[in-house]
Amino acid sequence: MRPFHYVYILQSLSTPARHYVGSTENLQDRLRKHNAGEVPHTAKFKPWQIQTAIALRDRDRAFALEAYLKTASGRAFAIKRL
């Protein structure tokens, strides 16, 4: 059985209007890295909390969902539905 691949949306606790979309196989470790400032793109707005996480078994579908959520229509979908 393949491991889960998570697509996640983080929300900044210091700047709640800030969100970050990413994907990983280890969600808790990835959140730890974001909050430790180890990810340059998110370090400025730490700490972060998980707003939404979706587990998929197909890595390619997870990457496709991540890419979609980073588009304008994907952001609109996430705001309305997630």
Side-chain angles (χ1 to χ4, degrees):
M1 184 178 289
R2 288 188 266 177
F4 283 114
H5 201 84
Y6 296 92
V7 176
Y8 59 89
I9 301 173
L10 301 180
Q11 181 177 25
S12 171
L13 293 175
S14 64
T15 312
R18 287 284 185 176
H19 293 84
Y20 177 82
V21 175
S23 64
T24 185
E25 288 186 6
N26 187 332
L27 186 57
Q28 293 305 318
D29 186 55
R30 190 67 175 151
L31 178 62
R32 182 197 60 75
K33 288 179 181 181
H34 283 292
N35 285 331
E38 296 176 20
V39 181
H41 190 75
T42 59
K44 185 175 178 181
F45 300 102
K46 65 182 185 171
W48 295 88
Q49 67 180 359
I50 298 170
Q51 182 181 42
T52 303
I54 301 167
L56 300 163
R57 292 241 185 240
D58 187 318
R59 184 177 181 189
D60 292 336
R61 291 184 77 185
F63 286 143
L65 178 58
E66 176 189 5
Y68 169 68
L69 291 174
K70 290 180 176 182
T71 67
S73 62
R75 285 190 297 275
F77 171 80
I79 290 167
K80 189 173 184 178
R81 303 285 181 205
L82 302 177

